[in-house]
Amino acid sequence: MTTGQTVRLPSVDRILGDAACLALIAHYGRAQTLACARAVLAELRTAMLAGAVCEEGASIAAIAAQMAERLQAQSRSQLRAVFNLTGTVLHTNLGRALLPDAAVQAVVEALQWPMNLEFDLETGKRGDRDDLVEELLRELTGAEAATIVNNNAAAVLLMLNTLAQGKEVVVSRGELVEIGGAFRIPDVMTRAGAVLREVGSTNRTHLADYANGINEHTSLLMKVHCSNYAITGFTKSVELDELVPLAAQHGVPTAVDLGSGTLVDLAQYSLPHETTVRETIEAGADLVTFSGDKLLGGPQCGVIVGRADLIAKIKRNPLKRALRVGKLTLAALEPVLRLYRAPDLLAERLTTLRLLTRPAAAMRAQAEMLLPLLQGALGAAYAVTAEAMTSQIGSGALPVDQLPSFGLAIRSAPGSRLSNPLGALEQRLRALPCPVIGRIGQDTLWLDLRCLEAAHETAFVAQLAELSA
């Protein structure tokens, strides 16, 4: 700013009357545009006192440009689409399962129309929202009845609060799991009003341990599927078909928290076998809880299936209303469940299974196609190679099981003068219009291509040029 030069800021009225600002008002509304104009002027006044504003910077055109940039940033959704190149298909922090097209279209329709959520079209009277999917769940699991809540943690909480409030639940010490967000089985039992009765040891639990833990206060025998860790070595656990007769002998039900939960045998797709819900019901479990947004491949929800009398009791619990799901969840869940009626087409139609079974050859070809484009965008500071790597099924669903995968490995070029070059690049990738999320390990930034489907390649490539800007 030139000494002695006087800079005058335009009035708010003059700014809002400018053609550029009138366009902003038409798009963002007068109230938001007015607040933005005042904020920009306040910042300019502060800068003027510091002698940091020239006449050009205080012009209406400059102010309108600042306002347009700021309003655009304010209007950008905080929930944004990203490219998941972490190698974790069911990534908890990235929203877990992607919905198939049939579910997406059902949700769109539910957003735009009133729906018969709790209205029986045959009788014209009030209905039960669980009825929309209960028949499908009974068919697919072999259970007598089912109910839906907002996630599997809620399913466990509701089940325990209904059946074990003020009473004891017998659980093996080796199954007192903690999952993401510090959710621990002992803690949820306490919140549900149940009393934990630990039996056995961390690595070995026998049927006699369960038998010795049963007393007049016992309300439930519970097994928790350890889907996010494994105990190996000198171990022993009690299988469900052993536990069920013991529970029946003492007149208490057996509950199983499957966590991830799957409705099909994954081994038929060359994936690690995971006990299915039907297998658990057929083994004699009275109640089974599992997630809808993990291996099932649907929306976030928790499912409870099992004996009709117990499910009816659970549904009468006042907490059920607090934990119930809305029409969007049910709209998404029903078409996903229907896909399971055609298991021979499931790997093609269910997005989660399609990603889990993606051929390594397809990922290799994709990596070789993308390599020169990414290398050209990054320049000589980095070396990009196409390499084999390993994916995992989920961060909370079979996280210890690895899948052979393929992708791009980025390393700092020898002699690079950049400070923390991989960290800097990882940050630049996250700052792209559609952020790219990879993982850093072994002095390498890994971009696993398992979840980059062909339909998204064009959008991925289009923004690579911004890395060289």
Side-chain angles (χ1 to χ4, degrees):
M1 177 176 176
T2 305
T3 303
Q5 181 182 357
T6 301
V7 177
R8 294 183 180 276
L9 293 175
S11 67
V12 172
D13 287 342
R14 284 188 61 200
I15 293 171
L16 295 184
D18 183 77
C21 285
L22 288 174
L24 295 178
I25 291 173
H27 187 75
Y28 297 105
R30 181 177 178 81
Q32 189 175 185
T33 306
L34 173 61
C36 184
R38 287 172 172 166
V40 171
L41 285 174
E43 292 174 6
L44 286 173
R45 289 190 189 98
T46 302
M48 284 174 60
L49 294 175
V53 175
C54 64
E55 189 169 356
E56 182 180 336
S59 69
I60 291 180
I63 292 172
Q66 285 190 57
M67 291 171 58
E69 184 177 342
R70 185 169 301 192
L71 287 167
Q72 183 181 27
Q74 290 175 353
S75 300
R76 184 183 299 127
S77 173
Q78 294 298 303
L79 186 65
R80 298 169 59 190
V82 304
F83 286 110
N84 175 15
L85 305 190
T86 64
T88 302
V89 176
L90 297 169
H91 199 300
T92 298
N93 298 341
L94 300 182
R96 292 184 181 160
L98 300 179
L99 295 180
D101 291 342
V104 172
Q105 294 306 314
V107 170
V108 170
E109 185 176 13
L111 284 166
Q112 298 176 320
W113 285 87
M115 310 294 284
N116 60 320
L117 178 64
E118 286 189 350
F119 185 83
D120 190 320
L121 294 174
E122 292 186 4
T123 65
K125 298 180 180 180
R126 181 169 183 167
D128 184 339
R129 64 185 63 194
D130 285 340
D131 290 346
L132 299 171
V133 294
E134 184 174 27
E135 183 179 343
L136 274 167
L137 284 167
R138 290 170 55 198
E139 174 188 331
L140 297 170
T141 67
E144 293 178 358
T147 189
I148 312 295
V149 288
N150 56 16
N151 59 27
N152 189 52
V156 175
L157 176 72
L158 182 62
M159 176 184 70
L160 292 174
N161 180 260
T162 302
L163 303 179
Q165 187 175 27
K167 300 177 182 178
E168 294 186 0
V169 178
V170 181
V171 184
S172 167
R173 283 193 176 90
E175 297 175 3
L176 297 178
V177 304
E178 175 182 322
I179 61 174
F183 172 85
R184 295 177 173 179
I185 286 294
D187 294 340
V188 77
M189 284 188 176
T190 300
R191 292 293 183 181
V195 178
L196 170 64
R197 169 73 70 169
E198 300 178 29
V199 298
S201 62
T202 302
N203 60 318
R204 290 179 70 81
T205 301
H206 302 271
L207 186 62
D209 294 320
Y210 284 97
N212 293 334
I214 297 174
N215 57 52
E216 65 274 15
H217 304 295
T218 302
S219 64
L220 200 66
L221 301 190
M222 185 172 177
K223 282 190 67 65
V224 182
H225 183 55
C226 304
S227 61
N228 62 351
Y229 73 97
I231 300 176
T232 60
F234 187 57
T235 63
K236 174 71 172 67
S237 62
V238 178
E239 297 301 322
L240 184 59
D241 57 1
E242 299 177 81
L243 196 60
V244 167
L246 176 66
Q249 178 184 339
H250 291 274
V252 295
T254 304
V256 179
D257 174 20
L258 278 183
S260 298
T262 179
L263 299 180
V264 293
D265 183 4
L266 297 177
Q268 64 184 298
Y269 305 104
S270 300
L271 296 170
H273 173 73
E274 183 86 345
T275 302
T276 68
V277 180
R278 179 177 288 277
E279 288 171 342
T280 308
I281 290 291
E282 289 178 348
D286 297 293
L287 289 170
V288 182
T289 65
F290 56 98
S291 294
D293 56 334
K294 293 183 181 178
L295 292 176
L296 193 148
Q300 177 180 301
C301 63
V303 185
I304 312 175
V305 299
R307 276 172 38 190
D309 61 323
L310 298 179
I311 294 294
K313 192 173 183 180
I314 288 170
K315 292 176 69 167
R316 289 194 297 268
N317 188 325
L319 276 178
K320 173 63 163 64
R321 184 174 181 85
L323 302 175
R324 70 183 184 181
V325 297
K327 67 174 182 177
L328 300 185
T329 300
L330 289 166
L333 180 60
E334 183 181 6
V336 169
L337 293 175
R338 290 190 186 282
L339 293 181
Y340 282 87
R341 284 177 162 171
D344 51 321
L345 301 174
L346 197 60
E348 174 188 343
R349 295 178 176 176
L350 186 66
T351 308
T352 293
L353 194 54
R354 184 171 67 244
L355 295 176
L356 291 175
T357 58
R358 194 170 180 212
M363 291 181 280
R364 178 191 290 269
Q366 189 178 47
E368 292 172 349
M369 181 273 290
L370 293 173
L371 191 156
L373 301 175
L374 181 59
Q375 184 66 77
L378 296 180
Y382 298 93
V384 185
T385 55
E387 296 185 17
M389 52 191 70
T390 55
S391 302
Q392 66 180 35
I393 292 176
S395 46
L398 278 70
V400 297
D401 291 292
Q402 302 294 312
L403 303 175
S405 189
F406 215 89
L408 299 169
I410 308 172
R411 299 178 179 87
S412 176
S416 173
R417 298 180 181 180
L418 296 174
S419 174
N420 186 21
L422 293 180
L425 177 58
E426 189 262 350
Q427 186 174 12
R428 287 163 61 195
L429 288 168
R430 285 189 283 108
L432 288 172
C434 185
V436 175
I437 315 297
R439 70 178 190 272
I440 294 179
Q442 300 173 313
D443 297 321
T444 304
L445 174 56
W446 304 93
L447 301 181
D448 191 312
L449 298 179
R450 177 172 292 278
C451 293
L452 182 62
E453 296 197 271
H456 299 145
E457 280 181 3
T458 301
F460 178 79
V461 170
Q463 63 178 9
L464 292 181
E466 300 197 22
L467 294 173
S468 57

